Amino acid sequence: MSFTLSEIASALGFTYFGDGNLRLAGLAEPANAGPSDLALAMDEKYSGAVRETSARAAVLWPGADWETLGLEGAIIATRAAGVMPGLTQMMDQGPDIAPGIHPSAVIDPTATIGAGAAIGPFVVIGPDVHIGENARIGAHVSIARGVVIGVNCLLHAGVRIATDTQIGHNFICQMNTSIGGDGFSFKITDNKSSVEALRENVGAAGQSETSVSGSSQWARVHSLGNVVIDDDVEIGTNTSIDRGTIRATRIGRGTKIDNQVQIGHNCEIGEDCLICGSSALAGSVKMGDRVVLGGQTGVSDNLFIGDDVIAGGRTSIFSNVPAGRAIWGTPAVRMETQMAINKEMRRLPRLAQRIRNLQNTDPDLGK
Amino acid sequence: MSFTLSEIASALGFTYFGDGNLRLAGLAEPANAGPSDLALAMDEKYSGAVRETSARAAVLWPGADWETLGLEGAIIATRAAGVMPGLTQMMDQGPDIAPGIHPSAVIDPTATIGAGAAIGPFVVIGPDVHIGENARIGAHVSIARGVVIGVNCLLHAGVRIATDTQIGHNFICQMNTSIGGDGFSFKITDNKSSVEALRENVGAAGQSETSVSGSSQWARVHSLGNVVIDDDVEIGTNTSIDRGTIRATRIGRGTKIDNQVQIGHNCEIGEDCLICGSSALAGSVKMGDRVVLGGQTGVSDNLFIGDDVIAGGRTSIFSNVPAGRAIWGTPAVRMETQMAINKEMRRLPRLAQRIRNLQNTDPDLGK
Amino acid sequence: MSFTLSEIASALGFTYFGDGNLRLAGLAEPANAGPSDLALAMDEKYSGAVRETSARAAVLWPGADWETLGLEGAIIATRAAGVMPGLTQMMDQGPDIAPGIHPSAVIDPTATIGAGAAIGPFVVIGPDVHIGENARIGAHVSIARGVVIGVNCLLHAGVRIATDTQIGHNFICQMNTSIGGDGFSFKITDNKSSVEALRENVGAAGQSETSVSGSSQWARVHSLGNVVIDDDVEIGTNTSIDRGTIRATRIGRGTKIDNQVQIGHNCEIGEDCLICGSSALAGSVKMGDRVVLGGQTGVSDNLFIGDDVIAGGRTSIFSNVPAGRAIWGTPAVRMETQMAINKEMRRLPRLAQRIRNLQNTDPDLGK
């Protein structure tokens, strides 16, 4: 796949300078670019690298002088934000799943698959599955009974979609992710579990001993609900999304979920959220729209997180968070409070020593 | 699958009220329930929703007046604990693995599989494997040489069970989980590793510089041990359980392990434990019975955790924990200590400022 | 597989004592060892267990008297470091992948595979793949178009290697790991995202409210780069390594990565690093050689970590780390600083109370 400089400029809505017929087949940083690459240099700090690049054309920062930099053609990125999505989409050759349905795939005769499907080797599609047009499904994917998926889905190798999952259009799911596993829900049937007893007692004087010892038997709560995923959702590799107990686990339109993430049963995630890598949501979390959770964030069960919340990396959310709050830390507090805490934490040993000194200086001061 | 109200009441050991012949095919929250659902409303807070539900029957809280609520039949949940396990088990239609062995499965002729097996497409079962009666094995599962599994196992799509793993009865394993990976164990053969040197030196004055730099070569310790899993164990999706080095990694009877969990080589987990999502145990941890680890808990290598320990969410266990202790925090302390620490942490910036003010007020006080 | 005591001693470079013809088929701890096992007792604390072992031969600590201990033969481990790698390698029977290419494997005619390959059932190998000699590839592995792998690779069941990944010699990858997933990179094209706005504003007075609410649309940055892995790398189970955006994600020679790890797009990891279980690196992290990250460590995006850095378990790295530094904590500080902080943290509630008492004792002291 290759494009001329003028085609690229036109697709991005920019004007080009110099030779619009330069044919470009890839994107690269100026230092690594070859003669058929479009070098990406949207910051003046790359000016030295551009001078030495083998590329003949580049995307440059506003105000750059492409001729002085020794290029044959250039695009000036007057609005930088859309450049990377637009350019990388143009140049993406896709995941290379051969057109048509591989003869080794096992597809139930009651399943319906829209026109234009590319389905790889050893794919398993169960009864009563409906998949929309232009599906691309990699090797070893399994899709269980009753699953519905909209148009333009892209399922990479090893994805598992369990029974009755409902998914909207334009769904992208990376390798080895599991959607629709049973919820982690176990009950003690004959008496209180040690966790329940602790929740009632903790805070009372001296209550850090667990109260139940002796036999316990965890009775399984079966997961009868499913997973419902709206349009334009993307999920990373090796992620887990559990089905609900008696209702659906829900992922809202436009939400993106990274690798190694855990979403518990009954969670309801809003629209246009970003959930970064290795985050974990326990069961029944209700989260609003446009929430951003930094990497390795954790959320306890049954919490409410409002719209537009942003959590810094490795935040531990143990209580509800109102809409529009930026939070950080363990347990989560307002972001600027955590920044102040971090500063004082580093000084804590000296602070404590100072207190001991104060007491030594003036022995009448309280102990 | 459907049951009458009287059948359900009888299975749960409750009496029913009203029309025992009402036929019920599902469970739902009152607000979402349809005419053929049994609405679940075991708390009085649902009374409004029950009044407006489309369901004709419900499970209600003790003291509820089913007739005034407009129902045709009801069960009063005088003992609530067992209701969800019992009801969801009755209504669970299972994972929809077709009976019999799919012709695409590759099963070694030396493997033996008990009566009643349902084995999906593209399953691989190696030499000398023994699987008990009523096995249900989803698509794309692989079971390596010498694995033994008891009766009633349920292995979901993409589960990997490596060589010589021994598993008891009633095992449930969710999608894409890996059992029996090699332990993460590497040694420096010619001199001390930087980690070993640091362990000896840290704590000495100024010792936060690492002492070894220059070439290092990690020599692999191969994992000759296996994984041994007792009866009634359940493991979530995309979880990792490593094999032992020269003995077994062991999971005790009745223990339940959630999604995205890491269990290192040589760990020995007791009975009836709950290990919640995204927790990680390093190698050679010995853990007692009925231990509950909250989500994202971490345990360092070679530690001992006693019976009935409960760790709050995201606890970091860096030292041994005696039996019966409730712990929380990083590093783990008694749960009520951590609750007090959390409270003071939030005030730490103000506390530190107060100290600085104290010193300003009385410049003779010690620095 | 079995060896005589003299063969084992010779392979390890030690001398043996007693009956060099004893034939040994396994390794075990003294308490579990049978008559055909070599008992491992490289520390005097095992002397009691050795006296009672059923093993006839053992590897003993320097100074041990094998005859008094009741053995028929022994090796004295004068240099202990290399014993476990050497012995376990000798005794390892490997992952039991049958020689040859299983007839069910789907291998593109343009792929080339070196001599000596063992390739399991349902393996998929795409166009233009090149795999070196002596490859061992377990069931259900998929290797996409253009992947190159060196000699002696060992890929366990369910491994996914995406398009254009380049891998050196002696690569070991455990079950269900995903290499080459798309990076988690999304941009707001029409205005600043709430995260970008927050980064600019946080620290200003009272800035913990997020500034953007209303519609947001995450535009996907496609991942055109690949993953490049050097020689002698090992990766655990259910781990994720994302491809780069317009350059490669790189893993250096000799680096070992554990289970459940997340490596973001564009990361460049040096040589001989150890990345322990459940750690997560966000995008574009540049890490030196011989770095050791303890379990559940997190690294924010775009950071630099120097050579020989050691991070304790669950360290949170939010800023650059100079070479040779031992760090710990959240946020990461020098390891001995964190040890002091941990000590004072536990005393923090009492410390705070003391301050309040000081103020009560002397009401003139500043508030």
Side-chain angles (χ1 to χ4, degrees):
Chain A
M1 202 167 350
S2 72
F3 301 90
T4 64
L5 183 64
S6 72
E7 286 168 344
I8 293 171
S10 162
L12 296 176
F14 293 120
T15 47
Y16 68 88
F17 300 87
D19 182 358
N21 293 319
L22 282 172
R23 187 153 284 280
L24 301 160
L27 306 177
E29 296 170 359
N32 306 323
S36 64
D37 286 326
L38 178 64
L40 298 184
M42 288 166 295
D43 190 296
E44 190 165 0
K45 71 182 175 189
Y46 296 113
S47 60
V50 173
R51 264 176 241 277
E52 296 178 8
T53 187
S54 307
R56 301 164 67 191
V59 183
L60 297 172
W61 61 97
D65 180 346
W66 63 277
E67 285 172 300
T68 308
L69 289 164
L71 298 168
E72 299 173 36
I75 290 168
I76 306 294
T78 45
R79 290 165 293 104
V83 171
M84 288 303 289
L87 272 180
T88 58
Q89 184 178 29
M90 283 184 85
M91 295 292 185
D92 189 358
Q93 301 184 32
D96 195 55
I97 303 166
I101 298 178
H102 194 275
S104 66
V106 170
I107 301 181
D108 192 273
T110 62
T112 59
I113 297 171
I119 297 184
F122 307 126
V123 167
V124 175
I125 298 181
D128 301 321
V129 169
H130 299 278
I131 300 179
E133 293 176 10
N134 300 318
R136 292 174 293 165
I137 301 180
H140 298 110
V141 169
S142 49
I143 302 176
R145 178 179 51 76
V147 170
V148 174
I149 307 180
V151 303
N152 300 328
C153 75
L154 170 54
L155 310 179
H156 286 272
V159 164
R160 314 285 163 206
I161 304 184
T163 310
D164 288 331
T165 303
Q166 311 290 305
I167 301 178
H169 301 309
N170 309 318
F171 181 58
I172 299 177
C173 189
Q174 307 286 335
M175 301 174 286
N176 279 339
T177 276
S178 303
I179 300 175
D182 291 337
F184 192 70
S185 179
F186 298 91
K187 302 283 182 191
I188 299 288
T189 57
D190 49 354
N191 53 16
K192 272 176 198 157
S193 74
S194 60
V195 175
E196 289 167 323
L198 184 72
R199 280 190 174 166
E200 290 177 9
N201 292 327
V202 85
Q207 272 298 341
S208 66
E209 305 304 308
T210 59
S211 57
V212 175
S213 87
S215 117
S216 92
Q217 292 277 355
W218 297 108
R220 183 174 211 271
V221 176
H222 290 247
S223 295
L224 308 180
N226 65 347
V227 177
V228 175
I229 297 176
D230 207 336
D231 295 343
D232 302 322
V233 168
E234 176 161 353
I235 302 178
T237 62
N238 289 76
T239 276
S240 300
I241 301 183
D242 279 357
R243 59 200 310 117
T245 307
I246 58 167
R247 53 180 165 92
T249 300
R250 291 179 185 276
I251 311 292
R253 184 199 50 73
T255 284
K256 317 297 184 187
I257 299 175
D258 199 356
N259 304 336
Q260 303 281 341
V261 171
Q262 139 76 5
I263 308 280
H265 59 284
N266 299 340
C267 282
E268 301 189 16
I269 311 297
E271 301 190 348
D272 288 318
C273 297
L274 289 189
I275 302 181
C276 295
S278 304
S279 291
L281 281 68
S284 301
V285 171
K286 189 157 170 50
M287 198 157 103
D289 298 335
R290 297 169 305 279
V291 173
V292 178
L293 301 183
Q296 294 183 312
T297 286
V299 186
S300 292
D301 56 308
N302 289 293
L303 296 184
F304 171 84
I305 299 177
D307 294 340
D308 299 297
V309 164
I310 299 179
R314 184 161 275 163
T315 293
S316 303
I317 303 179
F318 295 123
S319 54
N320 294 335
V321 184
R325 180 73 52 89
I327 57 172
W328 198 26
T330 299
V333 292
R334 283 169 183 267
M335 193 171 277
E336 89 263 8
T337 305
Q338 187 61 41
M339 293 172 81
I341 291 173
N342 288 350
K343 204 181 290 180
E344 299 298 348
M345 281 274 285
R346 219 166 291 144
R347 304 168 178 165
L348 181 60
R350 275 173 292 158
L351 181 76
Q353 190 52 48
R354 201 167 290 163
I355 306 302
R356 287 188 281 269
N357 291 347
L358 277 173
Q359 293 190 298
N360 291 341
T361 310
D362 183 350
D364 292 337
L365 288 175
K367 312 258 156 150
Chain B
M1 203 169 349
S2 72
F3 301 91
T4 64
L5 183 64
S6 73
E7 286 168 345
I8 293 172
S10 162
L12 296 176
F14 292 120
T15 48
Y16 68 90
F17 300 87
D19 181 359
N21 293 320
L22 282 171
R23 186 151 286 278
L24 301 160
L27 306 176
E29 297 170 359
N32 306 324
S36 63
D37 286 326
L38 178 64
L40 299 183
M42 289 167 294
D43 191 296
E44 192 166 357
K45 71 181 176 190
Y46 295 113
S47 60
V50 174
R51 264 176 243 275
E52 296 178 8
T53 186
S54 306
R56 301 163 67 189
V59 183
L60 298 172
W61 62 96
D65 180 345
W66 64 277
E67 285 172 301
T68 307
L69 289 165
L71 297 168
E72 299 173 35
I75 290 168
I76 306 294
T78 45
R79 291 166 292 103
V83 171
M84 287 303 289
L87 273 179
T88 58
Q89 184 177 30
M90 283 184 84
M91 294 292 185
D92 190 358
Q93 302 185 31
D96 195 56
I97 303 166
I101 299 178
H102 193 276
S104 66
V106 170
I107 301 181
D108 192 273
T110 62
T112 60
I113 297 171
I119 296 184
F122 308 126
V123 166
V124 175
I125 298 182
D128 302 322
V129 169
H130 299 278
I131 300 178
E133 293 175 11
N134 301 318
R136 290 174 294 166
I137 301 180
H140 299 111
V141 169
S142 50
I143 302 177
R145 177 180 50 77
V147 171
V148 175
I149 307 179
V151 304
N152 300 327
C153 75
L154 170 54
L155 310 180
H156 286 271
V159 164
R160 314 285 163 207
I161 304 184
T163 310
D164 289 330
T165 302
Q166 311 289 304
I167 302 177
H169 302 309
N170 309 318
F171 180 59
I172 298 177
C173 190
Q174 307 286 335
M175 301 174 285
N176 279 339
T177 275
S178 303
I179 300 176
D182 290 336
F184 192 70
S185 179
F186 298 91
K187 303 281 183 193
I188 298 288
T189 57
D190 49 353
N191 53 17
K192 272 176 198 156
S193 74
S194 59
V195 176
E196 290 168 323
L198 184 72
R199 280 189 175 165
E200 290 177 10
N201 292 327
V202 87
Q207 271 297 341
S208 65
E209 304 303 310
T210 59
S211 57
V212 175
S213 87
S215 118
S216 90
Q217 292 276 356
W218 297 107
R220 183 173 209 271
V221 176
H222 290 246
S223 293
L224 308 179
N226 65 346
V227 177
V228 176
I229 296 176
D230 208 336
D231 296 343
D232 302 322
V233 168
E234 176 161 352
I235 301 178
T237 61
N238 289 76
T239 275
S240 300
I241 300 183
D242 278 356
R243 58 201 310 118
T245 306
I246 58 168
R247 54 181 165 92
T249 300
R250 290 179 185 278
I251 313 292
R253 185 198 50 69
T255 284
K256 318 296 184 189
I257 299 175
D258 199 356
N259 304 337
Q260 303 281 342
V261 171
Q262 139 75 6
I263 307 280
H265 60 283
N266 299 338
C267 282
E268 300 189 16
I269 312 298
E271 302 189 347
D272 289 318
C273 297
L274 289 189
I275 302 181
C276 296
S278 304
S279 291
L281 282 68
S284 301
V285 171
K286 190 157 170 48
M287 198 157 102
D289 299 335
R290 296 170 305 279
V291 173
V292 178
L293 301 183
Q296 293 182 314
T297 287
V299 186
S300 292
D301 57 308
N302 289 292
L303 296 183
F304 171 84
I305 299 177
D307 294 340
D308 298 298
V309 165
I310 298 179
R314 184 161 275 164
T315 293
S316 303
I317 303 180
F318 295 123
S319 55
N320 293 335
V321 184
R325 180 72 51 87
I327 57 173
W328 198 26
T330 300
V333 293
R334 284 168 182 268
M335 193 171 279
E336 89 263 7
T337 304
Q338 187 61 41
M339 292 170 82
I341 290 172
N342 288 350
K343 203 180 290 179
E344 298 298 348
M345 281 273 285
R346 218 165 292 145
R347 304 170 178 162
L348 181 60
R350 275 173 292 159
L351 182 77
Q353 189 54 47
R354 200 167 290 161
I355 306 302
R356 288 188 280 269
N357 291 347
L358 278 172
Q359 293 189 299
N360 291 340
T361 310
D362 183 350
D364 291 338
L365 287 174
K367 311 259 158 150
Chain C
M1 203 169 348
S2 72
F3 300 90
T4 64
L5 183 63
S6 74
E7 286 168 344
I8 293 171
S10 161
L12 296 176
F14 292 121
T15 47
Y16 67 88
F17 300 88
D19 182 358
N21 293 320
L22 282 171
R23 187 152 284 278
L24 300 159
L27 306 175
E29 297 170 0
N32 307 323
S36 64
D37 285 326
L38 178 63
L40 299 185
M42 288 166 295
D43 190 297
E44 192 164 0
K45 71 182 176 189
Y46 295 113
S47 60
V50 173
R51 263 176 244 276
E52 296 178 8
T53 187
S54 306
R56 301 163 68 191
V59 183
L60 298 172
W61 62 97
D65 180 344
W66 63 279
E67 284 172 302
T68 308
L69 289 164
L71 297 167
E72 299 173 36
I75 290 168
I76 306 293
T78 45
R79 289 166 294 103
V83 171
M84 287 303 288
L87 272 179
T88 58
Q89 184 178 29
M90 284 185 84
M91 294 292 186
D92 190 359
Q93 300 183 33
D96 195 55
I97 303 166
I101 298 177
H102 194 276
S104 66
V106 169
I107 301 181
D108 192 272
T110 62
T112 59
I113 297 171
I119 296 183
F122 307 126
V123 167
V124 175
I125 298 181
D128 301 321
V129 169
H130 299 278
I131 300 178
E133 293 176 11
N134 301 318
R136 290 173 295 165
I137 301 178
H140 298 109
V141 169
S142 49
I143 303 177
R145 176 180 52 77
V147 170
V148 175
I149 308 180
V151 303
N152 301 326
C153 75
L154 170 53
L155 310 180
H156 287 272
V159 164
R160 314 283 162 208
I161 304 185
T163 310
D164 289 330
T165 303
Q166 311 289 307
I167 302 178
H169 301 309
N170 309 317
F171 181 59
I172 299 177
C173 189
Q174 307 285 336
M175 301 174 284
N176 278 340
T177 276
S178 303
I179 300 175
D182 290 336
F184 192 70
S185 179
F186 298 91
K187 303 283 182 192
I188 298 288
T189 57
D190 49 353
N191 52 17
K192 272 176 200 158
S193 75
S194 59
V195 175
E196 290 167 323
L198 184 72
R199 280 190 175 165
E200 290 178 8
N201 292 327
V202 85
Q207 272 298 341
S208 66
E209 305 304 308
T210 59
S211 57
V212 175
S213 86
S215 116
S216 91
Q217 292 276 355
W218 297 108
R220 182 172 211 269
V221 177
H222 290 247
S223 294
L224 308 179
N226 65 346
V227 177
V228 176
I229 296 177
D230 207 337
D231 296 342
D232 303 322
V233 168
E234 176 161 352
I235 301 178
T237 62
N238 289 76
T239 275
S240 300
I241 300 184
D242 278 356
R243 58 200 310 117
T245 307
I246 57 168
R247 52 180 167 93
T249 300
R250 291 179 184 277
I251 312 293
R253 185 199 49 71
T255 284
K256 318 296 184 186
I257 299 174
D258 199 356
N259 304 336
Q260 303 281 341
V261 171
Q262 140 75 4
I263 307 280
H265 60 282
N266 299 339
C267 282
E268 300 190 16
I269 312 297
E271 302 190 347
D272 289 317
C273 297
L274 288 188
I275 301 180
C276 295
S278 304
S279 291
L281 282 67
S284 301
V285 171
K286 188 155 172 49
M287 198 158 103
D289 298 335
R290 296 170 305 280
V291 173
V292 178
L293 302 183
Q296 293 182 313
T297 287
V299 186
S300 291
D301 57 308
N302 289 293
L303 296 183
F304 171 83
I305 299 178
D307 294 340
D308 299 298
V309 164
I310 299 179
R314 184 163 276 164
T315 293
S316 303
I317 303 179
F318 295 124
S319 55
N320 293 336
V321 185
R325 180 72 53 88
I327 56 173
W328 199 25
T330 299
V333 293
R334 283 168 183 268
M335 193 172 276
E336 90 263 6
T337 304
Q338 187 61 41
M339 293 171 81
I341 291 172
N342 288 350
K343 205 179 289 177
E344 299 298 347
M345 281 273 285
R346 218 167 291 145
R347 304 168 178 165
L348 181 60
R350 276 172 292 159
L351 181 76
Q353 189 53 47
R354 201 167 289 162
I355 305 301
R356 288 188 280 269
N357 291 347
L358 277 172
Q359 294 190 297
N360 291 341
T361 311
D362 182 350
D364 292 337
L365 288 175
K367 312 255 158 149

